[in-house]
Amino acid sequence: MSDKDNHKDLRRLRELLAEISDLNAAAALMHWDQQTYMPEGGVGLRSEQLATVSRLAHERLVSPELGELLEQLDGTFDPSSEEAALVRVARRDHLQAAKLPSRLVAETARAASEAEPVWVSARADSDWEAFAPHLERLLELRREAAEHLGYEEHPYDALLDLYEPGARKSRLEGLFEELKAGILPLLHRIAPDGVAEDRSAPLVGDYDERVQEEFGRAVLTDLGYDWSRGRQDRVVHAFCIDLGGPQDVRITTRFDPRRVDTALFTSMHEAGHAMYEQGVSPDYARSPLAGGVSMGIHESQSRLWENLVGRSRAFWEHYYPKLQEAFPGSPLGKTDLETFYRAVNEVRPSTIRIDADELTYNLHVLLRFELEVAMIEGRLAVSEIPEAWEAKMEEYLGVRPKNAGEGPLQDIHWADGLFGYFPSYTVGNVLSAQFFEAAVGARPEIPDEIRHGDFGPLRGWLTENVYRHGRRYEPEELVERASGRPLEAAPYLRYLREKFGALYAG
Amino acid sequence: MSDKDNHKDLRRLRELLAEISDLNAAAALMHWDQQTYMPEGGVGLRSEQLATVSRLAHERLVSPELGELLEQLDGTFDPSSEEAALVRVARRDHLQAAKLPSRLVAETARAASEAEPVWVSARADSDWEAFAPHLERLLELRREAAEHLGYEEHPYDALLDLYEPGARKSRLEGLFEELKAGILPLLHRIAPDGVAEDRSAPLVGDYDERVQEEFGRAVLTDLGYDWSRGRQDRVVHAFCIDLGGPQDVRITTRFDPRRVDTALFTSMHEAGHAMYEQGVSPDYARSPLAGGVSMGIHESQSRLWENLVGRSRAFWEHYYPKLQEAFPGSPLGKTDLETFYRAVNEVRPSTIRIDADELTYNLHVLLRFELEVAMIEGRLAVSEIPEAWEAKMEEYLGVRPKNAGEGPLQDIHWADGLFGYFPSYTVGNVLSAQFFEAAVGARPEIPDEIRHGDFGPLRGWLTENVYRHGRRYEPEELVERASGRPLEAAPYLRYLREKFGALYAG
């Protein structure tokens, strides 16, 4: 192929990819609007429109024209070039979509949309049996999907790969073993038999939502969330969404007027996701190189800003006096910094994942990972899940769900057909510490800068080493480039031991 | 063709049309978002995305598949059926789009996007010569478009037809003659030599925007704007937009804290547009039968609710005490109902169309219509426009623009390549009175009901006779069906004479 043909093909490839990105952005905007401002009467109409626009994007992604162009261009560029990365990432997306028969995609979508309302009422009624047939169906469809997607070692790898490119069940097992070995002794000391001291009192009170919002906005501004390329709106379930490129990345949050911490940490979490997307090279807009490279690396950024920054003592040395000032007459007036710091880092084993603290969170994920692998392997029947759940919950956390509603029915993921997704939460937690340690290694002043409310250098390091690359490097390569090491549990365990060892000393 | 084939073709037609509607709705949402909430940094990205989505909708509209289906189905249904209407309207949209070479569409879009910023600065500098070459180019392109679109009597008809299906220059000339003959004597009595009494004093003051907003929302609720299928947001230039069907029709408004009337009448105007779209049969969602049948009939509804209802004495008998209560300490406290009613109906010849009162508005439109026809015919060179404008302004309104900025540069329409659009404003004004008279003829209690803040019966008549039909009938047929008469100036002139005769008696 001549250089000229190559150039022409690349131009056409970029056009096709931009078209797909634009349709996805339209769908993203429809989704954002639906969660924020859409009038209730528009629900039915909007779901038809979303289905059309998503279908058109999907048709383009699996189109033979795109497939042929990618075959033509594969291997024609210097492997280290952006062009090669573009072809590789687009090819990955294309093949992943093209491998699944459209019949299977449609059946899975239908099964999930049938399962979701059943899950909602089954959860409310703690009725596992009502949900079980839907889960069986979805499991069957996802096992079929795994066969179509293909894998080298284990069918679960095919599903993992959708969220964590290159991840393997076998390696996750090793990671979880290390985490378990590091976390359980610490947890058992802090919460023997699953019972821990209640430290949350100062967080509970009457905290005006508007003041919370204003305080949160000021914090996000300091962190470096760029409001000229984003905005924050109120929703029931918080999320971050990009609308086609780093030029428009929006966050949402929810407020609890009885808790001073909910909205703030939710906002910092979403801002972490958003600063990652805003930090991607603007050249990658309208291309598959925009956005985060894996769910785990995305989550590493939300957790880094929420936990390693937002729940650090250094952070609160700067912000606690401001928070006290913002809420005169609240319990904070009688609460010293140390007590507040302990409150926002309270360890309390509970049955609910989304309420979990930093120490117990990964045990919730481990439990789900183990059950999912057993389900995919056919070693665990859907009817046996509640019992297996309870046993593991007891073993890892020392607590038992009262019923299936606060047991295996608590999360929406399985009702959406998402198997292989949960591990990304733990990959995110682990990487948050690995990246933070690397940043501090490169610039030891970072903790002190946080203590003065200066987040620029930390954000700068993350932008340089992680954000700007978008999806240019494979997740593993990005982790290596940024931290000098492969994904490993050690930095995260060091962080947990040091922090919670001190918080629960003596 | 067998009935079965026909049925299959119709189903496929509906699918294609729904897809086009969904893409147009995505574009509409992008536009709405851009005007309301989009962060400034997203402008460039959004315009690329809008261009893609609009192009995909256009490609589908002009597609041979759609064209062939429409040919197949043309004439196969009972002419009075909804199916026949669907085919007719879709065919009209398809042919109108397909007749224009894509080269011409692209050139016109480019010329307009180049002209717009030049127009902005030319208007600020009153620099006609800077804008003139762009206008010449756009005029040339639109004349070419008229030839492609085709016409029976006059090239201007081809452009008119884009906004006012079936309208003819020759008939508009007759309408304008009647209006001129009716309005000018009235105006010359009220404002000899273009000078009229200033009655607006009570409207000017310090009117809190939040109170204005709350008052306006309460009024719109009373009128019958359905908030469960719509919403109102703040923008710089107010508009109404439907997002694919009557299930989601949004309005926007702007506030002027120094005027009590601006936001309210703007809101009522947009709510008039919106109630029309909300009133369309829900069966027409995601099809070309949804929405308004012509710009003029659309405008008739915004003007009916803004002027015939909102500027009526009956309306203010109900709302004025509430308005006074909402703004204690404002000039309204010392203003009686009659004075307020005279203020919101003040006649003041001015050079600016969008500030024009009910009496002078159509003279602004007449002037533009006459100039446009002369331009299209080649009788008037672009360089001669400012002089012609001034002469007509003097003749009709007794005022002279100080410069081109408040003369022919005041409107954006020509910079957007919109020729043949202005007459719709007058068609709307004329029809607002014709429909209102017909409604009151059918139900004489309507004015009294308005006096008690009860708009249900009026809205009910409009829904039954106009709104629910969407684009099912040709504009002319709809007017006939609703009012029993063709479009005519008489009801509007009766309305103006009666209202302004009394307001300016003695």
Side-chain angles (χ1 to χ4, degrees), chain B residues 138-156:
Chain B
L138 282 161
L139 190 57
E140 187 188 315
L141 289 165
R142 295 312 283 161
R143 285 162 77 167
E144 192 186 335
E147 295 307 319
H148 287 288
L149 291 166
Y151 49 87
E152 284 175 28
E153 293 176 7
H154 195 278
Y156 193 73

Side-chain angles (χ1 to χ4, degrees), chain A residues 4 71 77 114 184 247 257 316 332 336 461 467 494:
Chain A
K4 205 177 146 194
E71 287 312 312
F77 298 102
E114 282 166 17
L184 282 183
Q247 295 87 349
W316 287 109
L332 301 182
D336 65 13
W461 187 92
Y467 300 172
R494 274 197 288 276

Side-chain angles (χ1 to χ4, degrees), chain B residues 65-110:
Chain B
E65 185 191 359
L66 182 64
E68 282 156 26
L69 264 178
L70 288 167
E71 287 311 313
Q72 293 279 341
L73 288 166
D74 190 30
T76 64
F77 298 103
D78 168 0
S80 69
S81 67
E82 288 193 346
E83 288 78 8
L86 182 71
V87 172
R88 176 179 53 75
V89 170
R91 203 155 167 266
R92 174 186 153 81
D93 292 349
H94 167 75
L95 290 175
Q96 215 161 52
K99 278 178 188 164
L100 295 177
S102 46
R103 186 248 338 136
L104 182 61
V105 173
E107 272 181 52
T108 308
R110 198 175 327 116

